[in-house]
Amino acid sequence: MNEAIENILQSKDIAPTAMRILVLEYLQKQTAAVNLADVEAGFAQADRITIYRTLKTFEEKGLIHSINDGTESTKYALCAEACKAGDHYDLHLHFFCIKCRQTYCLPKHKVPEIDLPAGYQLKELNLVAKGICDQCT
Ligand SMILES: [Zn+2]
Ligand SMILES: [Zn+2]
Ligand SMILES: [Zn+2]
């Protein structure tokens, strides 16, 4: 058992089941965001529903965030530590590479500040830049 992984799960109030530990380990190894099919391919022995539920729990608890990059499937990536259950602070740019079709989090690049009318509260902003990543140029 990986104690560091267990601690991360517990800090987000997620009971560390074997499956959750494995999925988090998998997510930590990724350099780009992954979709459900990617995670499934990494776990031949687990069924799709279990993996889907695991990702949903992670998202609800503020461990991962989902990204809609314009491809047909939602992608997921690990959050910054500031995220918590029901409250995500992933206001960074996402970059979709049109060559390798991977989506990357750019946590150091914040999305530009958005002016909203009084009374509107920003919770999420999905901004995906498209182009060619540093691996493909
Ligand atoms: Zn988040
Ligand atoms: Zn690329
Ligand atoms: Zn991200």
Side-chain angles (χ1 to χ4, degrees), residues 9-124:
L9 289 170
Q10 266 154 358
S11 76
K12 300 280 180 183
D13 218 11
I14 304 168
T17 64
M19 187 66 204
R20 287 168 180 170
I21 289 167
L22 287 172
V23 172
L24 180 52
E25 271 176 342
Y26 171 86
L27 290 170
Q28 284 186 332
K29 281 187 222 136
Q30 308 307 310
T31 52
V34 292
N35 63 22
L36 180 59
D38 294 327
V39 186
E40 240 190 305
F43 298 95
Q45 76 281 23
D47 68 292
R48 192 185 187 101
I49 300 290
T50 311
I51 294 170
Y52 178 76
R53 284 205 195 114
T54 303
L55 292 173
K56 278 286 149 202
T57 303
F58 283 4
E59 189 184 9
E60 279 162 26
K61 298 287 189 180
L63 185 59
I64 61 174
H65 56 282
S66 57
I67 306 152
N68 186 342
D69 62 8
T71 60
E72 60 283 5
S73 56
T74 303
K75 291 188 180 159
Y76 298 94
L78 287 170
C79 285
E81 271 168 44
C83 289
K84 42 184 197 288
D87 248 332
H88 282 273
Y89 299 96
D90 307 286
L91 293 175
H92 53 257
L93 269 182
H94 288 116
F95 191 95
F96 177 74
C97 175
I98 55 173
K99 263 196 173 168
C100 62
R101 302 189 63 81
Q102 300 284 351
T103 297
Y104 301 94
C105 284
L106 302 177
K108 291 201 182 90
H109 298 261
K110 303 292 169 205
V111 296
E113 238 173 90
I114 304 260
D115 232 354
L116 287 172
Y120 285 74
Q121 215 185 1
L122 185 67
K123 283 287 188 191
E124 236 185 277

